[in-house]
Amino acid sequence: MWPPKGREKTTMLEYRAYEQIESYLNGNMAAEDKAAFKALLRSDAHLAEQVREHQQLLQAMQAYGQRQNLRDKLNIFHEEMQPAAPATPPAWQVLWTRHKQTLAVAATVSLFSVFGTLLSVQQLKAPVQQQTVRYIELRREVERLKKTQTAIINGINDAPKPVPPKPTAFAGTGFAISADGYLVTSSHVVEGADSIMIENKAGLKYKATEVYRDEIHDLSILKVTDPAFQSFGRLPYTFKTAESDLGEKVFTLGYPREDIVFGEGSLSSTTGFENDSTAYQVSIPLNPGNSGGPLLDDKGNLIGVISGKQAGQEGAAFAIKSAYLLQLINELPATSDVAPLSLPKNNALSGQNRPQQLKKLKDYIFVVKVYN
């Protein structure tokens, strides 16, 4: 099916990029295309780094091939120097006696060069291998529920066995975006879900379903479908449309465990993982389960949606910018049967201290439980 989706699309784009890099480095690119490619290299630092690494790899492999060719020639030369008659000293012994110091130094240099080349190739491969593990999605895997042993303890083996609750496979965080039952979370949190349940700090539980997904920005819109649901009430926060500034104080609430957890830090970069312009980097220590949680500034404006963190670097977390969430919300009526959402217009958190902000905020933050 065209166009390709998800990882298939990413792999195809990477393949085409490497085709262009190969053509550029081998001198097979047309003059017009070469000029355009050079201009792209000047504006795209990531592509320029890929070209540099690819060129280093080709040079290393070429050098290794040259050394291998030299070694083969030396082996042939050595075989030709084998003695023709046992009465005379072998030619290789004569050569070794006269030039043993020079040959020893040459052999040592050659050995170090080969090992140096192999090490360089491994170092060039390492960044590519590490790219798949440096970014961690913060979906929390929940331990599967064990069957109750009440019937065995009470000795009522003949009684009809109650059906055990369906095990929770994963959990994340979500938050309300309109009073009439719509929420947002990370799309990877609800990926593969058969059913979804949300629950807040007050113990309110509702069944929900996914109504729209944006995998590019890792966002999903959920809708409460529980008959008992009436309204979330007036949301206390508003959505910031402008870009936030470097160094701003920010905070989040989420469910890295069963109880809600507060995290605070600062906006450490206006771009996300690998200079992604659609996300922020924040200095908040986060754990699996925080995905889909809100990121708010000091005044209580919602500025992003928590999505992941960088492996091995504490306090390097990422959040999709609120501008892309608003874009997704605006697309809903045109792409689904959802009517235009009524977003909050008044910020009740501005001017409040942090504990007061959290008291007003926590009822609108939900743990998203995914069953499959």
Side-chain angles (χ1 to χ4, degrees), residues 47-67:
L47 179 60
E49 179 66 15
Q50 283 184 304
V51 172
R52 185 186 67 80
E53 291 180 354
H54 200 74
Q55 187 174 32
Q56 287 181 347
L57 179 60
L58 291 176
Q59 290 172 348
M61 293 176 68
Q62 184 180 14
Y64 178 72
Q66 292 172 348
R67 294 187 183 95

Side-chain angles (χ1 to χ4, degrees), residues 88-354:
T88 59
W92 66 269
Q93 288 184 358
V94 176
L95 181 64
W96 173 253
T97 302
R98 294 179 179 176
H99 306 287
K100 59 183 178 182
Q101 185 174 1
T102 303
L103 289 174
V105 172
T108 303
V109 172
S110 177
L111 184 63
F112 276 109
S113 297
V114 170
F115 279 108
T117 300
L118 292 175
L119 180 60
S120 298
V121 172
Q122 290 300 321
Q123 288 174 340
L124 287 171
K125 289 180 179 178
V128 178
Q129 294 169 347
Q130 292 171 2
Q131 283 180 3
T132 58
V133 298
R134 284 191 295 166
Y135 185 86
I136 300 176
E137 294 176 340
L138 299 178
R139 180 169 72 164
R140 177 164 58 97
E141 185 171 358
V142 180
E143 182 182 0
R144 294 189 174 272
L145 301 176
K146 298 179 180 179
K147 291 183 178 181
T148 179
Q149 297 181 355
T150 306
I152 298 175
I153 295 173
N154 296 334
I156 49 175
N157 296 324
D158 296 331
K161 302 298 187 296
V163 177
K166 201 172 184 180
T168 308
F170 297 98
T173 303
F175 59 95
I177 56 176
S178 72
D180 51 348
Y182 287 92
L183 307 91
V184 67
T185 188
S186 297
S187 63
H188 70 261
V189 169
V190 294
E191 184 178 3
D194 288 340
S195 58
I196 303 170
M197 185 74 69
I198 64 169
E199 182 178 353
N200 68 1
K201 177 66 176 172
L204 294 176
K205 300 179 182 180
Y206 299 112
K207 184 177 180 181
T209 185
E210 185 181 38
V211 296
Y212 193 65
R213 170 177 294 200
D214 180 357
E215 291 184 351
I216 294 177
H217 297 112
D218 194 17
L219 295 171
S220 283
I221 303 296
L222 308 181
K223 173 72 167 67
V224 174
T225 56
D226 200 306
F229 175 78
Q230 295 182 347
S231 173
F232 286 138
R234 180 177 295 177
L235 275 59
Y237 43 84
T238 51
F239 297 80
K240 188 173 182 178
T241 56
E243 186 96 352
S244 293
D245 295 323
L246 192 67
E248 281 192 48
K249 293 294 183 183
V250 293
F251 69 97
T252 187
L253 279 175
Y255 285 91
R257 54 192 181 92
E258 290 304 310
D259 198 10
I260 196 167
V261 176
F262 163 71
E264 189 172 33
S266 58
L267 199 153
S268 50
S269 176
T270 55
T271 57
F273 182 70
E274 294 188 336
N275 301 317
D276 180 7
S277 61
T278 68
Y280 294 120
Q281 179 177 323
V282 293
S283 61
I284 302 177
L286 299 176
N287 293 294
N290 276 114
S291 274
L295 180 68
L296 301 103
D297 63 16
D298 219 26
K299 298 178 181 179
N301 297 305
L302 188 124
I303 67 169
V305 182
I306 300 295
S307 60
K309 68 177 183 179
Q310 185 169 337
Q313 188 169 341
E314 193 64 27
F318 306 102
I320 302 299
K321 296 177 181 179
S322 56
Y324 295 93
L325 172 59
L326 290 172
Q327 177 182 317
L328 179 63
I329 292 172
N330 291 332
E331 291 174 357
L332 276 175
T335 55
S336 63
D337 297 331
V338 177
L341 303 188
S342 178
L343 301 180
K345 296 181 175 58
N346 297 314
N347 188 339
L349 304 179
S350 182
Q352 305 287 317
N353 60 36
R354 188 71 77 239

